[in-house]
Amino acid sequence: MDKKEIRREIRELKKQYPLDEKKRMSVSVWNQVEQDRLFLKAKTVLAYWSMEDEVFTHDFVTHWADKKTFLLPCVRGNELDIRYFDGEEKLEPGEGYAIPEPVGELFEDLDKIDVILVPGVAFDVYGNRLGRGKGYYDKILKQTKAYKMGLCFNFQFIERVPTEEHDVKMDKVVVSGK
């Protein structure tokens, strides 16, 4: 299958699960992340504020935000800005997907990020990731040596993700139910 077909198929699979079920499935992802040695050692983590069809991050981010520096991406045109997460009450709808985003201080030193928690449409056993097609994450992932953890539900973990030269592999893929 090509990227477009995979995106369509995964989108249909996601529709089969209500938000409550996706939240429940997300718990096993977070249990695995919380046991990861590099995550535990990390001081600065770039996460994401999940959309309804992604591994649910809200509880995880707010839980860990007083123990580590958490950063969230903000869509600005064709780029992602990175800003400090200072609490859920300080998030405002962003311009890209109307995802709540931090409005505070800009974070610019990508070398200081220890771990990046990366959403995706699909992942494979080789660490390949298929995003939504805008290339937002690939631009950031190329600029950092941070430990890259892809997060997905078990139905998003497929045999093979088609790749292109600009795609960045994950160091680890965390799958619900594994």
Side-chain angles (χ1 to χ4, degrees), residues 113-127:
I113 300 172
D114 300 307
V115 171
I116 302 177
L117 303 175
V118 187
V121 172
F123 295 89
D124 68 23
V125 69
Y126 307 102

Side-chain angles (χ1 to χ4, degrees), residues 6-114:
I6 294 169
R7 286 186 182 105
R8 185 186 48 73
E9 186 174 299
I10 298 292
R11 186 171 44 252
E12 291 306 312
L13 287 170
K14 287 177 177 180
K15 288 178 184 176
Q16 296 176 17
Y17 298 89
L19 180 58
D20 287 353
E21 179 69 9
K22 286 182 270 204
K23 285 181 179 181
R24 189 192 62 71
M25 293 187 315
S26 299
V27 171
S28 71
V29 171
W30 300 122
N31 289 340
Q32 293 173 71
V33 171
E34 289 173 341
Q35 293 174 19
D36 185 274
R37 178 180 58 84
L38 293 176
F39 172 76
L40 292 172
K41 284 177 45 178
K43 291 182 173 77
T44 304
V45 177
L46 172 57
Y48 62 96
W49 200 256
S50 56
M51 295 193 297
E52 196 171 299
D53 66 345
E54 296 174 321
V55 170
F56 186 74
T57 61
H58 306 189
D59 296 340
F60 182 82
V61 170
T62 55
H63 170 77
W64 282 95
D66 64 344
K67 299 164 188 68
K68 299 177 182 293
T69 299
F70 261 78
L71 310 167
L72 297 177
C74 304
V75 176
R76 297 290 171 263
N78 292 323
E79 304 292 324
L80 287 181
D81 283 348
I82 299 172
R83 295 188 183 276
Y84 288 91
F85 174 76
D86 293 321
E88 190 171 354
E89 67 283 350
K90 293 184 181 171
L91 299 176
E92 294 183 4
E95 70 177 55
Y97 295 90
I99 304 166
E101 298 175 347
V103 292
E105 185 182 350
L106 193 62
F107 180 89
E108 298 185 72
D109 191 353
L110 295 180
D111 291 335
K112 290 211 160 82
I113 300 172
D114 300 307

Side-chain angles (χ1 to χ4, degrees), residues 124-142:
D124 68 23
V125 69
Y126 307 102
N128 295 311
R129 171 186 171 269
L130 175 63
R132 294 184 186 268
K134 302 273 188 187
Y136 290 125
Y137 272 90
D138 287 320
K139 292 171 189 169
I140 287 177
L141 297 174
K142 279 184 179 161

